[in-house]
Each structure stands twice: as structure tokens, then as C-alpha cells.
Amino acid sequence: MPRAGLTPATVVREAAVLADEVGYEKLTLAALAARLGVALPSLYKHVRGVDALHQQLAVLPTAEIADVLTTAAAGRAGGDALRAVAAAYRAYARQHPGRYPAAQRAPDPADAEHVAAGERAAGAIRAILLGYGLDGDDAIDAIRMFRAAVHGFVALEAAGGFGLPRDTDRSFDQLIAGLDRAYRSWGDR
Amino acid sequence: MPRAGLTPATVVREAAVLADEVGYEKLTLAALAARLGVALPSLYKHVRGVDALHQQLAVLPTAEIADVLTTAAAGRAGGDALRAVAAAYRAYARQHPGRYPAAQRAPDPADAEHVAAGERAAGAIRAILLGYGLDGDDAIDAIRMFRAAVHGFVALEAAGGFGLPRDTDRSFDQLIAGLDRAYRSWGDR
DNA sequence: CCTTAAAGCTAATGCTATTAGCCAAGATGC
DNA sequence: GCATCTTGGCTAATAGCATTAGCTTTAAGG
């Protein structure tokens, strides 16, 4: 019987694919093992368990989000960059309904790769905020504001939380427009 | 052997208490049955299963949030009301870490009580927005903005997503201040 | 070629959810 | 006050998933 040739990385990557197909909460070691053509306990040679898999699984989408945001911001500034980055974030969440929730898991401080990916994502936003004249603690607050607004929106949207027959695209545009105004008027009362 | 005297309502209410203690994702029929002093399968006389329990469990916190928001808004208007309602929302989420996530489940349109509770919560926000001159589709967008921003913030906060050593209370104040500015400048470019 | 680390396996255990079918508690009707 | 009938709660059985233990054999490396 030849070996499957798995590594922790391949297991986690396949878990990401599977999560997008069946949903994050329905991601199961049993289904993952079947997908990889391997018996369930064999996975324990590569991941410590389902909880560790979830933790590991957070790294990939975090890095992908960082990439997507960085790409979207390239060559733009101000409200232009803000809209592009927000749209890219939302698009990622919709295209990856399984791995996006995985990314919400906070990094283990000991996981340098995960921490770095998170910082890269935050850095993409921070660069835009610099164009609004925001830095230091203001930038931290403004980044948290961006994350709260955009994550909150896509989470509620994915959960079917917007019931009224009003186009969510419009609402999202208004959200980002409001964010833009909030950033521009940061110092005001 | 005397009966436990359970009803669907008591089961769901105890589930809410248990969820706050052990966390929404760790809420289990087995633990709930033990808590109620009953064998696990007995619960099936009151709820159709774990999925139905989750759905039912969404109603209580939605109604409680509606209450909390309504109370907080009473006697206030404008930015004052906005701050009070946002603070009340966040406080509820922190005090009820188990049932708050339960409330994110979208209502079954056939569940009139659930739908009504959601509308009551939205109504509390809508009333405030009226003070900003927002109604119609603008109000819908603005309500979605409020929900996205505040839910996103408390969700990220609860998940430990704000890693930097910056006081989250300050960040929350800034978020709501930004929301207030966005509402006040709604028509602007 | 031999050794050895480890990838993958089977077997076993435990927890959770779910269904089926039984029994008795307690409400209802006479 | 008694008979009846609904139904809440039970035990037993099944199935799925996670986890651990221990074995086998691959395949890399001296």
C-alpha cells in the first residue's frame, strides 16, 4: 500500500477547500480523511486534533485576505482605495464561505506566520488610513472600525441577517461611504 | 418517579443559561439534559433536535436585545441615544457570551415571535435614526450600518481579535463617534 | 544492505445525537 | 371516585465523530 504523502500543509490546504464546500461548522476530520483517501486516525500524524486544525486553518485565509487587500489597494489612495479594499474583502468572504470564518480565530502569539499575516492585512488598511491623516492610536481605532464594519456586514449578510428586500450592494456602498466620511471628519465633533 | 415538568419554553430558557456558562458552541443536548435532571432523549419531547434548539434559542436573546436597546434609548435622542444604545448592545453581548451568538441566527419567517423581536430591535434603532433625518431606504442602510459596526466590533472583541494593547473601550467610543458623524453627514459627498 | 523514524493502518473507547418503543403520571370525562 | 387517554419521561439501540494505543511497513539514510 503506497503512502498518501500527506504533510501538515497539504492537510490544512485540503481542509480549506473542504470548508468552502461544506461550510466551516460542518468541516469534519472524517470528511477530510475521506477526501484525502486516508483513514481518519492517520490525520493525527499531521494535526493534533480538530481544534488544532481550526487554529492552523486560520492562517491560510488570513494570508489570502492580506494578499487580496494589498492587491486591491495597489495604485489607489483615499476613498478610492477604501472602496476597492472593502469590496475585495467582501468578495473574498463570499467566495470562501468556509475559510473566511476560519480566519476569525485569533492568532496564537507563538505562531509567527499567523501573526505576520494578520499584521500584513492590518498594514494594508493602515496604509490607506495614512492618506486620511490617521496614525498612532487613531490608526488603531480606525483599523478596528474598518474591521468591525466590514466583518460585521459580511457576517450578517452570510447569516441571512438582512431580511428586508433592500439590495445589500447598495447598503454596502453606503456603509463604505459612511466609513469614508467618518475617516475624513476624524477630528471633528 | 415524579415528572420534571418541562416545557419547550423552560428547556430553551435553561439552554440560554447553559450557553452563557459553557459557550454557544459547547451547548449540548447532553449537558442540557443533565442540567434539567432528565435523560437526554426526553428533551426530544420538547425540541425537535439540536438544530431546532439553536433556532428557538435565537428568539430569547433577540427579544432581550430589543428590550435593552429600547430601554437605553428611552428619553434620549441623537448622538446621546446612539451612544447609549450602542453601549447597551455591547454590554448585553459581553454579559451573555452564549446567547448573544445564538441571536445571530436569522428568523424563520414562519416564527412570528422571532420576526417581531427582530423588528422591535430594528425599530429601536430606526427611531434614533429618525432624529438624524434618515428614513426609507436610507434608514434601512443606516440600520444595517449600525448592526454591522456594532456586531462586528463585539464579535471581533469576543473572539480576541483585537490584539494590540490599545484600550478597546476607547476604540468602541471612536467607532460610535464615527457612526454619529456618518449619520450626521449622510447626504454629503 | 540494514536500520530506523514516521506514515498509515486497525482496534478500541467515549461522547453526542437521534429514533423506537415502553411505561406511568396526571389530566379529563363520566 | 373511577376509568381513560394523552403525553412526559424512560431505557435500549444505532450511528457518527474524535481520540488514543499499538502495530506494520514504507522509504529515507547511513
Side-chain angles (χ1 to χ4, degrees), chain A residues 1-3 28-30 40-41 44-45 49-50:
Chain A
M1 208 173 292
R3 292 198 180 178
T28 187
L29 291 184
L40 196 159
Y44 283 80
K45 291 293 156 106
V50 68

Side-chain angles (χ1 to χ4, degrees), chain A residues 73-115:
Chain A
R76 300 177 210 266
D80 229 38
L82 186 67
R83 279 183 290 277
V85 164
Y89 187 105
R90 181 173 177 227
Y92 181 87
R94 298 173 105 177
Q95 284 159 16
H96 300 286
R99 62 236 260 179
Y100 175 71
Q104 300 315 315
R105 182 116 170 195
D108 175 354
D111 184 343
E113 186 188 352
H114 194 176
V115 170

Side-chain angles (χ1 to χ4, degrees), chain B residues 154-174:
Chain B
V154 303
L156 290 172
E157 188 179 25
F162 297 145
L164 297 181
R166 160 76 172 165
D167 184 11
T168 53
D169 289 355
R170 298 282 190 87
S171 296
F172 189 73
D173 288 347
Q174 290 284 20

Side-chain angles (χ1 to χ4, degrees), chain A residues 145-169:
Chain A
M145 188 181 297
F146 177 92
R147 291 177 62 201
V150 179
H151 165 63
F153 191 96
V154 303
L156 290 172
E157 188 179 25
F162 297 145
L164 297 180
R166 160 76 172 164
D167 185 11
T168 53
D169 289 355

